[in-house]
Amino acid sequence: MNTRFLFPHSFKLVGWILLIPPLVLFVLMNVFHLEIPTIGFPVLSLIEYEDAHKTTFFNLIYKDALNDEIMAATFIIGAMLVAFSKEKIEDEFISKLRLESLLWATYINYALLLLSFLFIYGATFFDVMIWNMFTLLIIFLLRYHIILYFSAKVSYHEK
């Protein structure tokens, strides 16, 4: 796997710093029902459907709760930096593991998406589509780092 499109190794730490806070906040908000103050300010809206006959483009609107957008953007940027930063030693094994993990994540992500299309309807389907934006990165990170951890453990015991 050609590594010229990977971020430098130093970006991995930045990625973890960006990735962990949205995960913690998500758990606190959804599992423990913690209420956090909302953040709101004017934002640029590229397109907005006001009703069936009125659509506006490139409009400045006031959004009173940007928490979800900020958390999602921070999570995606952090996850991409963690997932696609070089390791300290970027060898053929790491390249193969990275490629296989991405393939696995893609298969699982689209299998879940297909099952969702077939068996989930209504407003719940919208929730599933929101989750689907994140599952590819989550599955990739989980598989990649679990196998990397266990392979390092095995190679350590072989020495």
Side-chain angles (χ1 to χ4, degrees), residues 45 47-61:
S45 172
I47 185 170
E48 181 181 18
Y49 296 108
E50 293 179 23
D51 59 40
H53 303 290
K54 183 157 171 87
T55 303
T56 57
F57 298 94
F58 302 104
N59 195 13
L60 198 61
I61 62 170

PDB file of all heavy atoms in Angstrom, residues 45 47-61:
ATOM      1  N   SER A  45     -25.631  28.668   5.585  1.00  0.00           N
ATOM      2  CA  SER A  45     -26.407  27.533   5.105  1.00  0.00           C
ATOM      3  C   SER A  45     -26.320  27.509   3.583  1.00  0.00           C
ATOM      4  O   SER A  45     -26.719  28.474   2.922  1.00  0.00           O
ATOM      5  CB  SER A  45     -27.870  27.684   5.551  1.00  0.00           C
ATOM      6  OG  SER A  45     -28.665  26.696   4.947  1.00  0.00           O
ATOM      7  N   ILE A  47     -27.898  25.424   1.501  1.00  0.00           N
ATOM      8  CA  ILE A  47     -29.239  25.242   0.957  1.00  0.00           C
ATOM      9  C   ILE A  47     -30.197  24.978   2.113  1.00  0.00           C
ATOM     10  O   ILE A  47     -29.857  24.284   3.062  1.00  0.00           O
ATOM     11  CB  ILE A  47     -29.287  24.093  -0.076  1.00  0.00           C
ATOM     12  CG1 ILE A  47     -30.663  23.996  -0.715  1.00  0.00           C
ATOM     13  CG2 ILE A  47     -28.873  22.786   0.550  1.00  0.00           C
ATOM     14  CD1 ILE A  47     -30.717  23.045  -1.900  1.00  0.00           C
ATOM     15  N   GLU A  48     -31.373  25.577   2.028  1.00  0.00           N
ATOM     16  CA  GLU A  48     -32.369  25.389   3.079  1.00  0.00           C
ATOM     17  C   GLU A  48     -33.753  25.348   2.444  1.00  0.00           C
ATOM     18  O   GLU A  48     -34.127  26.241   1.683  1.00  0.00           O
ATOM     19  CB  GLU A  48     -32.294  26.539   4.089  1.00  0.00           C
ATOM     20  CG  GLU A  48     -33.269  26.391   5.219  1.00  0.00           C
ATOM     21  CD  GLU A  48     -33.197  27.545   6.202  1.00  0.00           C
ATOM     22  OE1 GLU A  48     -32.657  28.608   5.865  1.00  0.00           O
ATOM     23  OE2 GLU A  48     -33.724  27.386   7.311  1.00  0.00           O
ATOM     24  N   TYR A  49     -34.498  24.282   2.758  1.00  0.00           N
ATOM     25  CA  TYR A  49     -35.871  24.162   2.304  1.00  0.00           C
ATOM     26  C   TYR A  49     -36.777  24.726   3.382  1.00  0.00           C
ATOM     27  O   TYR A  49     -36.935  24.145   4.440  1.00  0.00           O
ATOM     28  CB  TYR A  49     -36.239  22.699   2.050  1.00  0.00           C
ATOM     29  CG  TYR A  49     -35.452  22.052   0.944  1.00  0.00           C
ATOM     30  CD1 TYR A  49     -34.474  21.110   1.221  1.00  0.00           C
ATOM     31  CD2 TYR A  49     -35.685  22.387  -0.384  1.00  0.00           C
ATOM     32  CE1 TYR A  49     -33.751  20.515   0.212  1.00  0.00           C
ATOM     33  CE2 TYR A  49     -34.964  21.798  -1.399  1.00  0.00           C
ATOM     34  CZ  TYR A  49     -34.002  20.864  -1.093  1.00  0.00           C
ATOM     35  OH  TYR A  49     -33.282  20.283  -2.108  1.00  0.00           O
ATOM     36  N   GLU A  50     -37.374  25.871   3.096  1.00  0.00           N
ATOM     37  CA  GLU A  50     -38.278  26.469   4.081  1.00  0.00           C
ATOM     38  C   GLU A  50     -39.663  25.848   3.987  1.00  0.00           C
ATOM     39  O   GLU A  50     -40.308  25.608   4.983  1.00  0.00           O
ATOM     40  CB  GLU A  50     -38.332  27.983   3.878  1.00  0.00           C
ATOM     41  CG  GLU A  50     -36.994  28.635   4.208  1.00  0.00           C
ATOM     42  CD  GLU A  50     -37.015  30.130   3.989  1.00  0.00           C
ATOM     43  OE1 GLU A  50     -38.102  30.738   4.003  1.00  0.00           O
ATOM     44  OE2 GLU A  50     -35.925  30.697   3.815  1.00  0.00           O
ATOM     45  N   ASP A  51     -40.139  25.611   2.784  1.00  0.00           N
ATOM     46  CA  ASP A  51     -41.370  24.867   2.556  1.00  0.00           C
ATOM     47  C   ASP A  51     -41.295  24.290   1.149  1.00  0.00           C
ATOM     48  O   ASP A  51     -40.275  24.373   0.483  1.00  0.00           O
ATOM     49  CB  ASP A  51     -42.623  25.736   2.775  1.00  0.00           C
ATOM     50  CG  ASP A  51     -42.675  26.959   1.861  1.00  0.00           C
ATOM     51  OD1 ASP A  51     -42.307  26.846   0.678  1.00  0.00           O
ATOM     52  OD2 ASP A  51     -43.093  28.024   2.334  1.00  0.00           O
ATOM     53  N   ALA A  52     -42.390  23.697   0.675  1.00  0.00           N
ATOM     54  CA  ALA A  52     -42.378  23.024  -0.617  1.00  0.00           C
ATOM     55  C   ALA A  52     -42.082  23.973  -1.781  1.00  0.00           C
ATOM     56  O   ALA A  52     -41.610  23.540  -2.829  1.00  0.00           O
ATOM     57  CB  ALA A  52     -43.715  22.326  -0.850  1.00  0.00           C
ATOM     58  N   HIS A  53     -42.346  25.266  -1.612  1.00  0.00           N
ATOM     59  CA  HIS A  53     -42.193  26.211  -2.721  1.00  0.00           C
ATOM     60  C   HIS A  53     -41.058  27.206  -2.516  1.00  0.00           C
ATOM     61  O   HIS A  53     -40.827  28.041  -3.377  1.00  0.00           O
ATOM     62  CB  HIS A  53     -43.505  26.981  -2.936  1.00  0.00           C
ATOM     63  CG  HIS A  53     -44.665  26.065  -3.180  1.00  0.00           C
ATOM     64  ND1 HIS A  53     -44.808  25.326  -4.331  1.00  0.00           N
ATOM     65  CD2 HIS A  53     -45.723  25.748  -2.394  1.00  0.00           C
ATOM     66  CE1 HIS A  53     -45.909  24.614  -4.255  1.00  0.00           C
ATOM     67  NE2 HIS A  53     -46.492  24.840  -3.090  1.00  0.00           N
ATOM     68  N   LYS A  54     -40.379  27.144  -1.382  1.00  0.00           N
ATOM     69  CA  LYS A  54     -39.340  28.139  -1.119  1.00  0.00           C
ATOM     70  C   LYS A  54     -38.047  27.459  -0.676  1.00  0.00           C
ATOM     71  O   LYS A  54     -38.007  26.783   0.339  1.00  0.00           O
ATOM     72  CB  LYS A  54     -39.807  29.122  -0.054  1.00  0.00           C
ATOM     73  CG  LYS A  54     -38.797  30.223   0.220  1.00  0.00           C
ATOM     74  CD  LYS A  54     -39.480  31.428   0.816  1.00  0.00           C
ATOM     75  CE  LYS A  54     -38.501  32.407   1.293  1.00  0.00           C
ATOM     76  NZ  LYS A  54     -37.911  33.356   0.701  1.00  0.00           N
ATOM     77  N   THR A  55     -37.021  27.662  -1.463  1.00  0.00           N
ATOM     78  CA  THR A  55     -35.685  27.163  -1.167  1.00  0.00           C
ATOM     79  C   THR A  55     -34.732  28.331  -1.234  1.00  0.00           C
ATOM     80  O   THR A  55     -34.776  29.119  -2.171  1.00  0.00           O
ATOM     81  CB  THR A  55     -35.270  26.091  -2.191  1.00  0.00           C
ATOM     82  OG1 THR A  55     -36.234  25.035  -2.184  1.00  0.00           O
ATOM     83  CG2 THR A  55     -33.912  25.525  -1.860  1.00  0.00           C
ATOM     84  N   THR A  56     -33.872  28.446  -0.230  1.00  0.00           N
ATOM     85  CA  THR A  56     -32.878  29.512  -0.248  1.00  0.00           C
ATOM     86  C   THR A  56     -31.487  28.896  -0.324  1.00  0.00           C
ATOM     87  O   THR A  56     -31.234  27.817   0.195  1.00  0.00           O
ATOM     88  CB  THR A  56     -32.980  30.404   1.004  1.00  0.00           C
ATOM     89  OG1 THR A  56     -32.832  29.596   2.165  1.00  0.00           O
ATOM     90  CG2 THR A  56     -34.314  31.124   1.060  1.00  0.00           C
ATOM     91  N   PHE A  57     -30.592  29.617  -0.986  1.00  0.00           N
ATOM     92  CA  PHE A  57     -29.213  29.183  -1.158  1.00  0.00           C
ATOM     93  C   PHE A  57     -28.281  30.223  -0.552  1.00  0.00           C
ATOM     94  O   PHE A  57     -28.542  31.415  -0.635  1.00  0.00           O
ATOM     95  CB  PHE A  57     -28.887  29.011  -2.643  1.00  0.00           C
ATOM     96  CG  PHE A  57     -29.721  27.972  -3.323  1.00  0.00           C
ATOM     97  CD1 PHE A  57     -30.888  28.318  -3.984  1.00  0.00           C
ATOM     98  CD2 PHE A  57     -29.332  26.636  -3.303  1.00  0.00           C
ATOM     99  CE1 PHE A  57     -31.661  27.367  -4.619  1.00  0.00           C
ATOM    100  CE2 PHE A  57     -30.094  25.674  -3.934  1.00  0.00           C
ATOM    101  CZ  PHE A  57     -31.261  26.039  -4.594  1.00  0.00           C
ATOM    102  N   PHE A  58     -27.181  29.770   0.032  1.00  0.00           N
ATOM    103  CA  PHE A  58     -26.144  30.646   0.577  1.00  0.00           C
ATOM    104  C   PHE A  58     -26.738  31.735   1.471  1.00  0.00           C
ATOM    105  O   PHE A  58     -26.638  32.914   1.198  1.00  0.00           O
ATOM    106  CB  PHE A  58     -25.312  31.263  -0.551  1.00  0.00           C
ATOM    107  CG  PHE A  58     -24.666  30.240  -1.420  1.00  0.00           C
ATOM    108  CD1 PHE A  58     -25.165  29.962  -2.677  1.00  0.00           C
ATOM    109  CD2 PHE A  58     -23.551  29.545  -0.966  1.00  0.00           C
ATOM    110  CE1 PHE A  58     -24.575  29.007  -3.480  1.00  0.00           C
ATOM    111  CE2 PHE A  58     -22.951  28.586  -1.766  1.00  0.00           C
ATOM    112  CZ  PHE A  58     -23.466  28.320  -3.020  1.00  0.00           C
ATOM    113  N   ASN A  59     -27.378  31.277   2.521  1.00  0.00           N
ATOM    114  CA  ASN A  59     -28.066  32.176   3.429  1.00  0.00           C
ATOM    115  C   ASN A  59     -27.420  32.090   4.811  1.00  0.00           C
ATOM    116  O   ASN A  59     -27.009  31.018   5.253  1.00  0.00           O
ATOM    117  CB  ASN A  59     -29.543  31.767   3.504  1.00  0.00           C
ATOM    118  CG  ASN A  59     -30.401  32.818   4.127  1.00  0.00           C
ATOM    119  OD1 ASN A  59     -29.986  33.950   4.304  1.00  0.00           O
ATOM    120  ND2 ASN A  59     -31.620  32.431   4.474  1.00  0.00           N
ATOM    121  N   LEU A  60     -27.329  33.199   5.501  1.00  0.00           N
ATOM    122  CA  LEU A  60     -26.842  33.221   6.869  1.00  0.00           C
ATOM    123  C   LEU A  60     -28.039  32.992   7.790  1.00  0.00           C
ATOM    124  O   LEU A  60     -28.997  33.764   7.773  1.00  0.00           O
ATOM    125  CB  LEU A  60     -26.173  34.565   7.173  1.00  0.00           C
ATOM    126  CG  LEU A  60     -25.263  34.598   8.379  1.00  0.00           C
ATOM    127  CD1 LEU A  60     -24.095  33.625   8.204  1.00  0.00           C
ATOM    128  CD2 LEU A  60     -24.741  35.999   8.604  1.00  0.00           C
ATOM    129  N   ILE A  61     -27.984  31.891   8.572  1.00  0.00           N
ATOM    130  CA  ILE A  61     -29.086  31.581   9.484  1.00  0.00           C
ATOM    131  C   ILE A  61     -28.535  31.479  10.903  1.00  0.00           C
ATOM    132  O   ILE A  61     -27.345  31.272  11.108  1.00  0.00           O
ATOM    133  CB  ILE A  61     -29.798  30.260   9.099  1.00  0.00           C
ATOM    134  CG1 ILE A  61     -28.830  29.072   9.194  1.00  0.00           C
ATOM    135  CG2 ILE A  61     -30.414  30.353   7.726  1.00  0.00           C
ATOM    136  CD1 ILE A  61     -29.497  27.725   9.078  1.00  0.00           C
TER     137      ILE A  61
END
